[in-house]
């Protein structure tokens, strides 16, 4: 199944007709540069082009009042003076004779996207629209928004397709208060937003944008606000929040559909956001959401005002929706102190609602509330409208080209195992490097030499990922590592699922990082590079396992930044299919998707499900949503406490930084 792209140049046909410094950044060029970049990078042609349509009155009334709709309906016939007059009743938005038409197209585009995803005509998709939507409210336009495109799409999906749970992820740098107001008492819609806040001094300066707005009545816990109280946030800060807040909660929520309020003003270079995360981060944010809801992901454009970073970010997002390997995120520095404060605040505010956060620190940092008051007073002192001091232009490297290796997935299988279609067999006859063959001293020599050849072809980017059935995974793992470690550039992340002894020399000199999830205590080598995660209920317990994936494996993997990932299924691991597939999918965040899966010969039943995920299909959703059991939560927390001195992305509170 493919990726939908919804765009129509009609939505470029409105603009600001008078002087208004607050609105001048919302221009038609935002849409044209985005679409043209998709065309130029040969991404648009790989998408399924879906036509726009106007949202109908009744669809708009799913969110907005009749009075508001009737009022907006009159704008096409207004004079310039009337339009200015009409605009004054709202904040930071402008009207134009054609904006009503474009606003119906923007909302209708989101509905078209929901239709083709829910009818499985496509797997996922992106709608390039303007005007944006997430600030508009029941009876008000606001923040360049006229109709709330994503809120309407959410109500539409529930009404037309009976979708029970919708996750809305708002990565725009502004708080989508319009969406929050819509669903704050609705437990069937989980709204997550991060936003520049600076202790309520940044637009729209709402008290209800802070982390303690968790939702109301039945909706308590289903509204998650992550305020950024400083500018300059980087990829590490965004990833920390995904790993330690959004993903654990999203998996516990188990949505049937995921919608993204995709604003790219959270990228480096944006005049509104003033953040420092590079466009590649959106490839990862998109990928991390793609294994939820069976891959049903609808991305709808919101903000983004730096035409260069906007176009690059849109391309990163669409290329990931298309299933291409991700770029590596170089030198992640770990979350800054302010981000850790926000992280701690959000986790403490939501610990009572989500079992995955049950063990989060119970209190926000001591001085957080006084900071808001102090800063607000300071802000009041500086005269209004003071020009931004730092006007230096941000520069960043062009994101690297992401191309798919000729072979997406290759397998080394015993002759009696049928090769899944789409997966290339690495035959014995295959040009096996005679040198490696001679080095392998094992009765399984033939298979192992083919595994080594597979690894060599991954290093040469001829093959993206691989799967091998071997007679002894520990031997195979050791051979692969021995083959790789001499090369100083190599760093291998090894994720072992299940019991069994991992040879200790394997973690020598930091060339490999081993994380082993097992159900029996192994003597703790207490090495920075060997991390045993002992789950009392073993790998069969979905919640505990996924908790270790989000709380440990993902942060460690991002910080370690390997160039190869070895996923080893130890004998009798007991891990269930769906969890195994989720892990396989999530590990493709690293090493540009170079994942080698090693399994015992008798596990041939898992060859199909594993290869489908290696080929880019979404992992099936994890049905059960019971709580991780307490001991397992404790294990992960204790490990995190011990390891976070060495691994910054494991941090979740600001107290820990010295
Ligand atoms: C879609 C969106 O979230 O990007 N809209 C952002 C609106 C920003 C308004 N800024 C007013 C500045 C006043 N000094
Ligand atoms: Zn925005």
């Amino acid at each position: 199944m493919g990726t939908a792209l919804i765009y129509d140049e009609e939505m470029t046909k409105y603009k600001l007709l008078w002087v208004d410094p607050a609105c001048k950044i919302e221009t038609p060029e935002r849409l044209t540069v985005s679409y043209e970049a998709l065309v130029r990078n040969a991404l648009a042609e790989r998408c399924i082009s879906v036509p726009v349509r106007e949202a109908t009155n009744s669809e708009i009334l799913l969110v907005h009042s009749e009075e508001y709709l009737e009022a907006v309906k009159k704008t096409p016939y207004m004079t310039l003076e009337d339009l200015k007059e009409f605009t004054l009743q709202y904040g930071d938005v402008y009207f134009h004779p054609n904006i009503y038409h474009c606003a119906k197209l923007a909302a209708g585009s989101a509905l078209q996207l929901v239709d083709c995803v829910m009818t499985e005509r496509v797997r996922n998709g992106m709608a390039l629209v303007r005007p944006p939507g997430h600030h508009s409210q029941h009876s008000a336009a606001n923040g360049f928004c006229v109709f709330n495109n994503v809120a309407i799409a959410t109500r539409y999906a529930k009404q037309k397709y009976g979708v029970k749970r919708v996750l809305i992820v708002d990565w725009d740098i502004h708080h989508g208060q319009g969406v929050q107001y819509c669903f704050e008492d609705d437990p069937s819609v989980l709204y997550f937003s991060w936003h520049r806040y600076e202790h309520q001094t940044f637009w729209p300066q709402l008290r209800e944008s802070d982390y303690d707005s968790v939702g109301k009545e039945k909706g308590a816990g289903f509204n998650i606000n992550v305020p950024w109280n400083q500018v300059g946030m980087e990829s590490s800060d965004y990833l920390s929040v995904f790993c330690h807040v959004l993903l654990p909660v999203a998996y516990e929520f188990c949505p049937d559909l995921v919608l993204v309020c995709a604003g790219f003003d959270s990228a480096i270079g944006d005049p509104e956001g003033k953040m420092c995360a590079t466009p590649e981060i959106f490839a990862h944010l998109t990928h991390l959401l793609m294994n939820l809801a069976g891959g049903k992901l609808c991305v709808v454009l919101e903000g983004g005002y730096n035409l260069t970073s906007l176009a690059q970010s849109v391309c990163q997002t669409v290329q990931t929706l298309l299933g291409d390997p991700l770029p590596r995120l170089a030198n992640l520095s770990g979350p800054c102190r302010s981000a850790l404060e926000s992280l701690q605040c959000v986790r403490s505010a939501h610990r009572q609602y989500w079992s995955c956060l049950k063990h989060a620190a119970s209190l926000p940092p001591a001085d957080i509330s006084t900071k808001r008051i102090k800063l607000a007073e300071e802000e009041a002192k500086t005269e209004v409208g003071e020009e931004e001091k730092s006007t230096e232009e941000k520069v960043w490297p062009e994101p690297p080209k992401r191309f798919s290796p000729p072979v997406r997935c290759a397998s080394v299988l015993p002759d009696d195992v049928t090769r899944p279609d789409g997966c290339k067999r690495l035959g014995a006859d295959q040009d096996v490097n005679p040198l490696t063959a001679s080095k392998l001293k094992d009765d399984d020599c033939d298979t192992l030499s083919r595994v080594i050849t597979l690894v060599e072809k991954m290093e040469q980017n001829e093959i993206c990922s691989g799967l091998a059935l071997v007679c002894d995974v520990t031997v195979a793992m050791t051979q692969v590592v021995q083959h790789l470690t001499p090369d100083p550039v190599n760093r291998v992340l090894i994720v072992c699922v299940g019991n069994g002894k991992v040879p200790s020399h394997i973690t020598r000199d930091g060339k490999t990082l081993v994380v082993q999830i097992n159900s029996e205590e192994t003597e703790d080598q207490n090495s920075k590079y060997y991390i045993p995660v002992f789950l009392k209920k073993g790998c069969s317990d979905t919640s505990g396992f996924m908790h270790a994936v989000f709380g440990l494996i993902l942060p460690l993997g991002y910080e370690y930044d390997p160039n190869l990932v070895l996923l080893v299924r130890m004998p009798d691991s007991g891990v269930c299919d769906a969890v195994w597939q989720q892990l396989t999918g999530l590990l493709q965040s690293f090493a540009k998707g170079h994942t080698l899966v090693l399994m015992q010969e008798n596990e041939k039943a898992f060859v199909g499900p594993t290869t489908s995920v290696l080929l880019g299909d979404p992992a099936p959703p994890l049905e059960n949503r019971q709580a991780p059991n307490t001991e397992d939560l404790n294990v992960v927390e204790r490990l995190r406490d011990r390891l976070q001195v060495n691994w910054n992305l494991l941090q979740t509170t600001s107290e820990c930084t010295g």
Side-chain angles (χ1 to χ4, degrees):
M1 268 196 292
T3 293
L5 177 61
I6 305 181
Y7 166 76
D8 191 299
E9 69 163 350
E10 179 60 24
M11 285 183 276
T12 67
K13 296 193 166 50
Y14 78 90
K15 63 183 181 184
L16 182 56
L17 296 174
W18 52 79
V19 175
D20 177 351
C23 292
K24 66 178 187 297
I25 53 175
E26 207 295 303
T27 62
E29 289 70 30
R30 295 179 54 237
L31 229 41
T32 38
V33 299
S34 300
Y35 183 68
E36 282 163 5
L38 289 172
V39 171
R40 189 172 61 254
N41 289 293
L43 294 172
E45 69 203 37
R46 292 172 55 194
C47 295
I48 294 162
S49 173
V50 171
V52 296
R53 74 166 169 88
E54 289 189 347
T56 64
N57 287 346
S58 59
E59 286 159 351
I60 293 166
L61 294 175
L62 287 170
V63 166
H64 299 286
S65 67
E66 301 217 12
E67 302 74 29
Y68 176 61
L69 177 53
E70 288 316 305
V72 175
K73 268 186 178 167
K74 297 188 174 70
T75 53
Y77 316 105
M78 288 182 183
T79 63
L80 187 60
E81 283 319 305
D82 291 348
L83 281 169
K84 275 186 186 175
E85 182 67 28
F86 183 76
T87 296
L88 289 179
Q89 62 188 314
Y90 305 117
D92 298 286
V93 62
Y94 63 88
F95 278 82
H96 176 283
N98 196 33
I99 199 169
Y100 169 54
H101 180 214
C102 294
K104 284 189 287 183
L105 291 176
S109 299
L111 304 182
Q112 289 284 83
L113 193 47
V114 167
D115 278 344
C116 52
V117 165
M118 290 311 296
T119 57
E120 302 197 353
R121 182 175 157 210
V122 298
R123 169 177 300 153
N124 56 37
M126 177 158 200
L128 283 181
V129 302
R130 65 186 280 271
H134 69 155
H135 298 301
S136 57
Q137 296 143 51
H138 186 59
S139 297
N142 179 264
F144 314 149
C145 305
V146 176
F147 297 140
N148 202 314
N149 308 319
V150 167
I152 294 169
T154 300
R155 289 250 160 92
Y156 175 84
K158 289 171 67 181
Q159 182 187 73
K160 181 170 180 183
Y161 297 100
V163 171
K164 289 185 196 55
R165 292 183 299 280
V166 179
L167 167 65
I168 301 173
V169 177
D170 189 334
W171 68 46
D172 185 290
I173 205 60
H174 298 92
H175 179 219
Q177 82 279 38
V179 182
Q180 172 167 310
Y181 299 153
C182 240
F183 302 112
E184 57 192 348
D185 63 352
D186 183 345
S188 72
V189 180
L190 173 58
Y191 177 59
F192 168 94
S193 171
W194 61 41
H195 32 270
R196 184 179 168 186
Y197 191 58
E198 291 174 298
H199 301 290
Q200 203 179 333
T201 62
F202 184 70
W203 189 91
Q205 298 180 336
L206 298 173
R207 176 66 187 78
E208 62 268 29
S209 303
D210 211 349
Y211 64 86
D212 53 353
S213 289
V214 296
K216 290 178 178 162
E217 295 134 28
K218 303 186 307 306
F222 296 91
N223 191 83
I224 303 177
N225 284 336
V226 180
W228 297 123
N229 289 317
Q230 283 178 6
V231 292
M233 293 299 169
E234 299 177 355
S235 299
S236 294
D237 304 302
Y238 291 179
L239 287 171
S240 294
V241 164
F242 261 55
C243 291
H244 300 306
V245 178
L246 178 59
L247 291 175
V249 169
Y251 272 79
E252 188 170 329
F253 179 62
C254 196
D256 310 298
L257 174 65
V258 181
L259 297 174
V260 179
C261 288
F264 297 105
D265 40 18
S266 40
I268 190 168
D270 191 276
E272 282 283 310
K274 294 209 179 324
M275 298 300 170
C276 294
T278 53
E280 293 90 328
I281 191 59
F282 297 104
H284 287 264
L285 301 185
T286 304
H287 175 75
L288 291 171
L289 297 175
M290 275 168 76
N291 287 301
L292 285 159
K296 290 187 175 62
L297 179 58
C298 300
V299 181
V300 182
L301 180 67
E302 293 282 357
Y305 306 100
N306 176 307
L307 301 182
T308 307
S309 66
L310 170 62
Q312 291 174 357
S313 302
V314 165
C315 288
Q316 289 296 322
T317 303
V318 170
Q319 190 159 13
T320 300
L321 290 174
L322 285 164
D324 282 8
L326 302 181
R328 284 170 68 174
L329 293 174
N331 48 52
L332 293 171
S333 56
C336 68
R337 183 180 184 84
S338 174
L340 285 169
E341 285 179 0
S342 300
L343 195 54
Q344 182 174 340
C345 290
V346 177
R347 283 163 56 91
S348 70
H350 280 274
R351 65 196 290 266
Q352 60 180 297
Y353 303 111
W354 300 97
S355 56
C356 58
L357 299 178
K358 197 166 53 182
H359 279 62
S362 59
L363 289 174
D367 58 353
I368 194 76
S369 49
T370 49
K371 283 192 175 182
R372 180 193 310 140
I373 297 159
K374 199 156 55 24
L375 213 140
E377 281 158 2
E378 272 167 35
E379 190 70 17
K381 274 190 224 114
T382 52
E383 68 281 353
V384 178
E386 178 190 86
E387 271 317 295
E388 290 294 315
K389 295 178 206 56
S390 64
T391 55
E392 97 272 358
E393 276 297 298
K394 283 276 177 189
V395 287
W396 62 95
E398 172 117 16
K401 282 268 167 287
R402 293 162 57 186
F403 67 96
S404 260
V407 175
R408 180 63 195 255
C409 176
S411 61
V412 172
L413 303 170
D415 298 339
D416 64 330
V417 177
T418 50
R419 181 175 46 82
D421 50 355
C423 179
K424 184 177 181 299
R425 173 184 289 277
L426 208 80
D429 55 332
Q430 187 77 23
D431 47 359
V432 172
N433 176 335
L435 184 69
T436 47
S438 62
K439 258 194 291 186
L440 298 168
K441 46 196 181 303
D442 183 278
D443 59 351
D444 193 15
C445 176
D446 166 53
T447 307
L448 287 179
S449 59
R450 286 157 63 193
V451 171
I452 297 299
T453 306
L454 178 49
V455 170
E456 285 171 342
K457 290 182 179 306
M458 288 165 78
E459 288 180 287
Q460 291 142 19
N461 248 343
E462 285 176 42
I463 292 175
C464 185
S465 60
L467 177 138
L469 289 188
V470 295
C471 71
D472 182 328
V473 286
T474 310
V475 168
M477 166 183 16
T478 310
Q479 295 290 345
V480 169
V481 168
Q482 275 168 358
H483 169 76
L484 286 165
T485 28
D487 184 335
V489 80
N490 283 331
R491 265 202 312 275
V492 186
L493 169 64
I494 304 178
V495 178
C496 290
V497 175
N499 300 329
K501 176 112 184 58
V502 173
S504 54
H505 68 274
I506 226 171
T507 60
R508 194 186 50 236
D509 62 29
K511 303 304 292 167
T512 54
L513 169 65
V514 179
V515 183
Q516 181 170 10
I517 300 184
N518 50 18
S519 62
E520 65 195 20
E521 295 258 34
T522 45
E523 87 290 338
D524 196 343
Q525 294 169 5
N526 205 4
S527 135
K528 174 181 174 185
Y529 293 103
Y530 173 71
I531 298 164
V533 185
F534 161 56
L535 295 182
K536 198 162 187 59
K537 286 177 69 177
C539 304
S540 60
D541 171 47
T542 300
S543 307
F545 192 96
M546 294 308 288
H547 191 72
V549 171
F550 301 126
L552 285 167
I553 294 179
L554 280 183
L556 287 168
Y558 274 114
E559 189 152 347
Y560 188 58
D561 184 26
N563 59 316
L564 176 75
V565 175
L566 226 45
L567 174 54
V568 183
R569 188 188 180 96
M570 307 299 268
D572 322 316
S573 64
V575 65
C576 79
D577 215 349
V579 166
W580 174 257
Q581 289 180 281
Q582 286 288 340
L583 178 60
T584 307
L586 289 166
L587 287 177
Q588 291 184 299
S589 309
F590 311 122
K592 297 194 291 187
H594 289 317
T595 309
L596 173 61
V597 179
L598 296 177
M599 301 197 289
Q600 297 286 125
E601 267 163 354
N602 62 355
E603 311 250 36
K604 56 189 70 149
F606 287 100
V607 169
T610 309
T611 13
S612 82
V613 175
L614 291 175
L615 287 165
D617 293 342
L622 297 173
E623 283 325 311
N624 85 319
R625 292 150 39 213
Q626 98 254 22
N629 82 340
T630 309
E631 299 99 305
D632 290 346
L633 275 171
N634 276 329
V635 162
V636 173
E637 295 312 309
R638 263 202 313 278
L639 264 173
R640 251 217 303 252
D641 284 349
R642 173 162 75 78
L643 293 164
Q644 66 185 353
V645 281
N646 295 317
W647 303 97
N648 298 325
L649 278 174
L650 293 179
Q651 295 169 13
T652 56
T653 63
S654 59
E655 265 85 37
C656 53
T657 41

